Amino acid sequence: MKLIKRHVFLLLFSLLFSAILLGQLKEWSRITRLTQSTVSSMDFRSQPLSEERLEEAKEMDSPGEMLGVCMLETDFGRADTDRTLKELRKETNRWEQRPGWDSYAAACRAVWDDLKYFPVAEASNRTGMTVSFVNSWMFDRDYGGSRWHEGTDIMPSVSERGLYPVVSMTDGTVRNMGWLELGGWRIGIDAPGGAYFYYAHLSSYADLQEGDEVKAGDLLGYMGDTGYSTKEGTTGNFPVHLHLGIYLYDGEEEISINPYPVLKYTEDRRIRYRFSQ
């Protein structure tokens, strides 16, 4: 009888110890999602946010921080929660105590809080002119050697260069214009929160120059097919499209962020524009 009691005690003790250890491991797993290097991780850079979360975020004036908390609470898409973004707000206090929170929250705000418009205008005078895009971030590319695709391509239903107006998604300052071998005629905008928005393969520019201030919705140029050449003005090496890239800077390191969730978030926020053709 004593032997049975001993075995029962040991079994109960083992179960209790296992439960405590499992709880500690789960908590350790949770708190280590946020470190000083989280912003440069693929977990963060991929921005794993469901369309349901993005719809909730549309109701917020400054969604970045809460989307950041959501990514932490769901272990960057590996878990799920039934709580809404507003319900997750109370978890912010716990994450604020973790090392790396300030840089992480700033990065989340930089990606999300300045967004106002989808980057391709909608035709007010023509029907059937739509665009489409898929999550092609980090797909293989081979021009110039094996590399990763650090953006999202927006494809037009009418494949004609110089037809679709490209507009700024944010307020900001023109940092770069001109020819790049990969990007063709491109323009780069520094948004107020610190993100860099990169619009590539343009057929032409609006009346802008480096250093100019732009407002969200301002015309930047027109969708085209320039690039994949050291010779300026080269076209025809791929279909007409807009390549959108989003970048953050961690010290001297340039970090590409997946634009696909950003495009889904702004998909129904399109400037109406009278197309010239």
Side-chain angles (χ1 to χ4, degrees), residues 10-276:
L10 289 174
L11 177 61
L12 291 174
F13 179 80
S14 297
L15 290 173
L16 178 61
F17 179 78
S18 297
I20 293 172
L21 181 60
L22 181 61
Q24 290 177 332
L25 288 173
K26 285 183 176 178
E27 180 63 12
W28 178 251
S29 173
R30 189 186 73 81
I31 63 177
T32 54
R33 294 170 199 168
L34 180 58
T35 68
Q36 296 287 1
S37 61
T38 295
V39 170
S40 61
S41 70
M42 290 300 289
D43 278 347
F44 173 78
R45 293 170 60 196
S46 64
Q47 296 288 291
L49 293 160
S50 67
E51 291 190 32
E52 179 183 5
R53 295 301 183 191
L54 297 177
E55 283 298 318
E56 291 180 58
K58 291 178 182 180
E59 300 176 3
M60 299 179 172
D61 292 332
S62 302
E65 191 168 300
M66 289 316 306
L67 289 173
V69 170
C70 180
M71 287 190 286
L72 291 171
E73 287 292 315
T74 59
D75 194 11
F76 294 97
R78 284 182 283 268
D80 200 4
T81 176
D82 293 331
R83 291 176 293 175
T84 66
L85 289 181
K86 291 180 180 179
E87 291 169 339
L88 287 171
R89 189 180 299 277
K90 62 183 179 182
E91 305 296 340
T92 305
N93 292 335
R94 285 196 298 171
W95 291 110
E96 285 176 339
Q97 310 307 312
R98 296 290 306 155
W101 167 257
D102 288 343
S103 59
Y104 176 81
C108 293
R109 290 191 293 268
V111 173
W112 293 98
D113 286 3
D114 292 326
L115 297 170
K116 291 188 173 67
Y117 297 112
F118 190 77
V120 181
E122 180 179 14
S124 62
N125 59 325
R126 289 187 58 170
T127 59
M129 292 184 58
T130 60
V131 295
S132 61
F133 55 94
V134 298
N135 191 356
S136 60
W137 186 71
M138 289 294 147
F139 278 21
D140 289 338
R141 291 291 186 269
D142 56 15
Y143 176 83
S146 181
R147 57 188 174 85
W148 305 112
H149 186 231
E150 294 190 342
T152 297
D153 292 336
I154 303 172
M155 311 302 297
S157 60
V158 181
S159 185
E160 183 178 333
R161 68 177 68 102
L163 181 59
Y164 286 76
V166 174
V167 301
S168 183
M169 301 183 77
T170 68
D171 296 345
T173 305
V174 178
R175 189 207 302 182
N176 293 310
M177 292 181 69
W179 185 264
L180 286 180
E181 180 179 356
L182 291 179
W185 298 118
R186 90 335 186 163
I187 187 167
I189 306 294
D190 283 324
Y196 177 72
F197 287 78
Y198 171 81
Y199 308 82
H201 308 311
L202 303 179
S203 67
S204 61
Y205 292 117
D207 185 16
L208 292 168
Q209 60 184 1
E210 292 180 4
D212 283 353
E213 299 293 319
V214 296
K215 293 295 185 183
D218 282 355
L219 180 68
L220 301 179
Y222 289 86
M223 190 186 294
D225 58 345
T226 57
Y228 279 21
S229 175
T230 57
K231 181 180 178 182
E232 292 191 15
T234 297
T235 60
N237 285 330
F238 43 75
V240 171
H241 70 282
L242 173 68
H243 170 100
L244 174 71
I246 301 174
Y247 294 87
L248 298 176
Y249 293 88
D250 185 14
E252 296 297 318
E253 183 183 5
E254 184 181 75
I255 300 169
S256 68
I257 302 297
N258 186 2
Y260 179 78
V262 165
L263 290 171
K264 295 300 291 185
Y265 175 77
T266 57
E267 193 171 17
D268 58 357
R269 301 181 182 183
R270 295 183 66 181
I271 289 284
R272 289 183 62 80
Y273 197 96
R274 184 173 179 81
F275 283 27
S276 60

